[in-house]
């Protein structure tokens, strides 16, 4: 994996966009910095001229510039000077699909919006940089769309009446880049989308560096979404999002996210911090995630999910510190959609430190992710396949997780003698809470082949009646150098249908479940 990181680094260094040519200040094209005048035409004219001249830098100077949707073209850098603010229009009429996409032979991109404030389609050698801010004004934009729908003026045929908000399909993303190559985005503050923040689909050779992404304006506010992209480096980013923080997705059955490097980032999220899925049709290969700090995150610190047929393989996660986070780790192989069941294999996770609270960790968010649909005991980290389809070759080492304890048998108690009561949920949306109550407090492992636990430290702040580990239908299990604190006298390890196991740590009691 270290060799892979080196290859990806030099590949991206070689292909990093170097935009040459003249500079074009949008003021010279009639842009006005009053935060009221719509400057879409002026900014687009500057971009188009730089593109026609073979490349150049389009400068957004200091000031507040209101704009609707603009489309970035090949060999163009959009540069925001210090104190420059690009404001997204709050009128839904100022957004459109990317020019040329409808004639493209590409498949449907994702299950979300085709709209965006900044678009790119089949653009090569593009860059957005500077110390300025891009603010989508997403709350006002979404509420205006909501009002137009209820007035019968701009009807959203997919309007979400259950949650009383416009559908994802009509709410623009902040960035939407499709089938583009050699992309660099750095040093900016990016905020307040009506939808996902930064969305990249079928792109190659990307560098996202030193970005502040604050996306808490409205629903579906992911931070960064990478869909079936290759050779991507995301570094030194600070992400604060009301939905998933950094999310890898795969919507194309014959494409993959491949050679992805995510490092030295800080993430807060009202959903999961780093997530593979939920859209998972093609796959995820050769992904390294390291040196990540996670805070105040409701769902999982790390979630790795294949539920639509995706192949997930060669994943390395290293040096993760997660505080006040609802779940440490969730690895899931299911079969919600897709022609075939996917695969999850060759996962190495090391050097994690996680603190799980008793209450909800994202209470400071104005918009919080959906609650689990029942009151519950604290959830363990889970690694769960489905019958006949095992998650394979997982190594967990140098991991410490502090749990709150305080579980009670009054909450849908599942005794060890009746582990079949835990539902398989083969077709259900994947989430750490998807199985309901679980019979372990530390790790719950089911339908897994070849898994190693090494140098694991589990600690309870209060007593928990459940065992630390439950293994159900596991082949080739190895546990060594494990420390478990404050467990009381209950069972520590429960095994059901486990073959070829080796447990090398002092354990008071191993329960064999029939």
């Amino acid at each position: 994996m270290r060799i892979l990181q080196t290859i990806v680094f030099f590949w991206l260094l070689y292909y990093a966009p170097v935009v040459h040519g003249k500079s074009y200040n949008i003021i010279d094209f009639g842009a006005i910095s009053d935060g009221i005048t719509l400057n879409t035409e002026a900014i687009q004219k500057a971009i188009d001229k730089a593109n026609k001249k073979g490349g150049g830098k389009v400068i957004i100077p200091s000031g507040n510039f209101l704009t609707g949707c603009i489309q970035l073209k090949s060999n163009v850098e959009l540069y925001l000077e210090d104190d420059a603010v690009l404001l997204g229009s709050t009128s839904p009429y100022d957004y459109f699909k990317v020019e040329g996409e409808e004639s493209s032979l590409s498949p449907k991109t994702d299950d979300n919006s085709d709209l965006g404030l900044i678009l790119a389609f089949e653009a090569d050698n593009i860059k957005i940089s500077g110390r300025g801010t891009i603010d989508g004004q997403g709350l006002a934009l979404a509420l205006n769309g909501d009002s137009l729908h209820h007035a019968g003026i701009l009807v959203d045929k997919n309007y979400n009446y259950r949650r009383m908000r416009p559908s994802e399909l009509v709410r623009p993303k902040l960035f939407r880049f499709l089938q583009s190559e050699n992309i660099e985005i750095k040093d900016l503050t990016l905020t307040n989308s009506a939808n996902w923040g930064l969305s990249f689909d079928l792109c190659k050779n990307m560098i996202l560096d030193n970005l502040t992404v604050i996306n808490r304006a409205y629903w579906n506010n992911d931070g960064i979404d990478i869909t079936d992209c290759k050779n991507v480096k995301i570094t030194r980013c600070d992400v604060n999002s009301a939905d998933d923080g950094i999310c890898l997705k795969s919507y194309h059955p014959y494409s993959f996210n491949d050679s992805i490097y995510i490092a030295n980032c800080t993430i807060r999220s009202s959903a999961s911090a780093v997530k593979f899925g939920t859209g998972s049709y093609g796959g995820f290969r050769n992904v390294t995630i390291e040196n990540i700090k996670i805070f105040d995150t409701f769902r999982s610190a790390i979630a790795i999910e294949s539920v639509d047929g995706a192949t997930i393989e060669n994943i390395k996660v290293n040096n993760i510190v997660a505080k006040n986070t609802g779940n440490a780790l969730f690895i899931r192989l299911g079969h919600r959609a897709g022609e075939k069941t996917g695969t999850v294999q060759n996962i190495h996770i090391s050097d994690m430190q996680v603190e799980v609270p008793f209450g909800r960790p994202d209470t400071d968010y104005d918009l919080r992710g959906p609650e689990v649909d029942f009151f519950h005991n604290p959830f363990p980290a889970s690694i769960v396949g489905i019958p006949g389809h095992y998650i394979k070759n997982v190594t967990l080492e140098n991991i410490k997780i502090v749990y709150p304890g305080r579980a009670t048998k009054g909450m849908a108690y599942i005794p060890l003698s009746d582990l079949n009561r835990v539902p398989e949920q083969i077709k259900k949306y994947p989430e750490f809470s998807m199985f309901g109550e679980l019979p372990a407090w530390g790790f719950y492992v089911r339908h897994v082949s070849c898994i190693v636990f090494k140098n694991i430290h589990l600690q309870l702040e209060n007593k928990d009646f459940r065992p630390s580990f439950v293994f159900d239908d596991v082949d080739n299990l190895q546990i060594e150098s494990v420390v478990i604190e404050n467990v009381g006298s209950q069972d520590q390890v429960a095994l059901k249908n486990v073959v070829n196991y080796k447990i090398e740590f002092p354990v008071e009691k191993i329960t064999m479940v029939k």
Side-chain angles (χ1 to χ4, degrees):
M1 291 298 290
R2 186 63 61 182
I3 294 174
L4 168 65
Q5 293 172 25
T6 303
I7 292 172
V8 170
F9 175 78
F10 283 105
W11 177 280
L12 289 167
L13 187 65
Y14 179 78
Y15 281 103
V18 179
V19 177
H20 300 286
K22 185 178 178 181
S23 294
Y24 301 87
N25 193 313
I26 63 169
I27 296 290
D28 297 331
F29 292 81
I32 299 173
S33 63
D34 58 6
I36 299 173
T37 304
L38 192 66
N39 295 294
T40 311
E41 184 176 353
I43 298 172
Q44 192 63 57
K45 281 182 178 179
I47 292 171
D48 292 346
K49 185 167 184 178
N51 170 252
K52 288 179 181 179
K53 293 293 184 179
K57 178 184 288 188
V58 173
I59 296 175
I60 313 293
S62 177
N64 296 322
F65 295 89
L66 184 70
T67 182
C69 176
I70 55 176
Q71 184 166 343
L72 203 56
K73 304 291 181 67
S74 293
N75 303 310
V76 175
E77 176 181 0
L78 190 65
Y79 181 81
L80 284 80
E81 292 184 342
D82 292 358
D83 300 319
V85 180
L86 199 61
L87 293 170
S89 169
T90 60
S91 170
Y93 292 104
D94 291 329
Y95 296 87
F96 49 82
K97 295 182 180 180
V98 65
E99 179 183 335
E101 181 186 348
E102 291 184 358
S103 63
S104 170
L105 297 178
S106 66
K108 178 72 177 78
T109 53
D110 55 49
D111 62 357
N112 206 281
S113 178
D114 292 331
L115 307 174
L117 177 60
I118 299 180
L119 304 176
F121 173 62
E122 295 184 346
D124 298 334
N125 198 34
I126 56 179
K127 186 173 181 179
I128 307 178
S129 64
R131 298 288 180 179
T133 298
I134 300 176
D135 184 344
Q137 301 195 99
L139 178 58
L141 173 58
L143 293 180
N144 284 340
D146 187 79
S147 297
L148 290 169
H149 169 79
H150 288 291
I153 298 171
L154 189 61
V155 175
D156 174 9
K157 62 182 180 181
N158 296 296
Y159 190 89
N160 190 329
Y161 283 99
R162 174 172 170 261
R163 292 175 174 167
M164 293 302 292
R165 61 178 183 248
S167 69
E168 296 94 323
L169 300 176
V170 302
R171 287 186 271 120
K173 303 170 182 175
L174 202 63
F175 291 3
R176 183 170 185 266
F177 286 25
L178 174 64
Q179 293 176 260
S180 297
E181 299 188 19
N182 303 335
I183 299 163
E184 183 175 343
I185 302 172
K186 61 186 302 183
D187 300 332
L188 296 159
T189 296
L190 307 167
T191 188
N192 294 332
S193 175
N195 203 318
W196 293 353
L198 316 184
S199 177
F200 305 91
D201 196 321
L202 293 168
C203 294
K204 297 179 181 179
N205 310 327
M206 293 171 45
I207 295 174
L208 309 181
D209 180 57
N210 195 32
L211 301 174
T212 299
V213 180
I214 305 171
N215 209 26
R216 297 172 54 164
Y218 203 66
W219 300 101
N220 309 107
N221 269 187
D222 286 11
I224 300 172
D225 290 278
I226 307 296
T227 301
D228 294 315
C229 295
K230 293 179 173 59
N231 302 321
V232 178
K233 184 179 180 184
I234 303 174
T235 53
R236 301 191 304 155
C237 291
D238 188 338
V239 179
N240 189 338
S241 58
D243 212 313
D244 296 319
I246 298 177
C247 192
L248 307 182
K249 299 178 182 290
S250 178
Y251 282 98
H252 309 276
Y254 302 105
S255 295
F256 285 81
N257 279 300
D258 195 348
S259 301
I260 312 294
Y261 181 63
I262 302 170
N264 303 312
C265 295
T266 299
I267 305 173
R268 293 172 174 83
S269 169
S270 193
S272 291
V274 181
K275 179 178 175 181
F276 294 58
T278 298
S280 48
Y281 291 86
F284 312 86
R285 292 173 172 165
N286 307 318
V287 179
T288 296
I289 302 163
E290 61 184 7
N291 306 329
I292 307 295
K293 295 180 180 178
I294 298 166
F295 301 93
D296 304 339
T297 291
F298 174 43
R299 298 185 185 274
S300 300
I302 304 293
I304 301 172
E305 304 164 356
S306 171
V307 294
D308 303 316
T311 295
I312 300 180
E313 61 186 8
N314 303 334
I315 311 300
K316 180 181 178 181
V317 180
N318 176 58
N319 194 19
I320 308 297
V321 176
K323 296 183 179 180
N324 196 34
T325 296
N327 179 55
L329 176 66
F330 180 66
I331 303 177
R332 172 61 170 167
L333 174 61
H335 194 178
R336 176 186 67 170
E339 297 179 359
K340 60 180 178 62
T341 302
T343 59
V344 178
Q345 60 186 2
N346 303 336
I347 312 292
H348 189 278
I349 299 174
S350 62
D351 298 291
M352 286 187 73
Q353 296 186 48
V354 184
E355 297 177 6
V356 177
F358 185 75
R360 180 162 183 153
D362 62 341
T363 54
D364 288 340
Y365 280 84
D366 295 329
L367 293 169
R368 291 175 293 279
E371 279 280 13
V372 296
D373 57 1
F374 52 87
F375 188 72
H376 59 85
N377 287 317
F379 291 100
S382 300
I383 304 170
V384 184
I386 58 177
H389 297 275
Y390 285 25
I391 295 171
K392 299 179 180 179
N393 300 327
V394 178
T395 298
L396 307 173
E397 60 179 332
N398 303 329
I399 294 174
K400 180 178 180 179
I401 309 176
V402 179
Y403 286 98
R406 295 177 58 187
T408 170
K409 290 185 178 181
M411 299 307 304
Y413 171 55
I414 296 178
L416 294 179
S417 60
D418 197 10
L419 292 180
N420 287 338
R421 194 185 299 174
V422 179
E424 295 287 355
Q425 307 286 35
I426 294 172
K427 294 185 176 296
K428 191 172 180 180
Y429 183 95
E431 195 55 86
F432 76 106
S433 57
M434 66 185 296
F435 305 107
E437 290 297 325
L438 287 172
W441 64 264
F443 280 91
Y444 176 75
V445 181
R446 192 183 203 184
H447 308 310
V448 176
S449 177
C450 298
I451 184 167
V452 176
F453 291 81
K454 184 177 181 180
N455 193 21
I456 307 297
H457 185 171
L458 300 180
Q459 179 180 330
L460 281 172
E461 293 184 329
N462 297 278
K463 300 295 185 183
D464 196 306
F465 70 88
R466 299 170 294 181
S468 311
F469 295 89
V470 168
F471 298 95
D472 186 354
D473 187 24
V474 174
D475 179 14
N476 200 341
L477 164 67
Q478 181 179 340
I479 305 177
E480 58 178 287
S481 302
V482 172
V483 174
I484 305 175
E485 288 189 48
N486 198 26
V487 294
S489 59
Q490 79 273 23
D491 303 338
Q492 293 181 17
V493 178
L495 307 178
K496 178 182 180 182
N497 298 326
V498 176
V499 295
N500 302 320
Y501 65 90
K502 185 178 182 181
I503 299 176
E504 295 182 336
F505 75 99
V507 56
E508 293 183 9
K509 185 176 181 182
I510 297 175
T511 298
M512 309 300 296
V513 181
K514 295 182 179 180

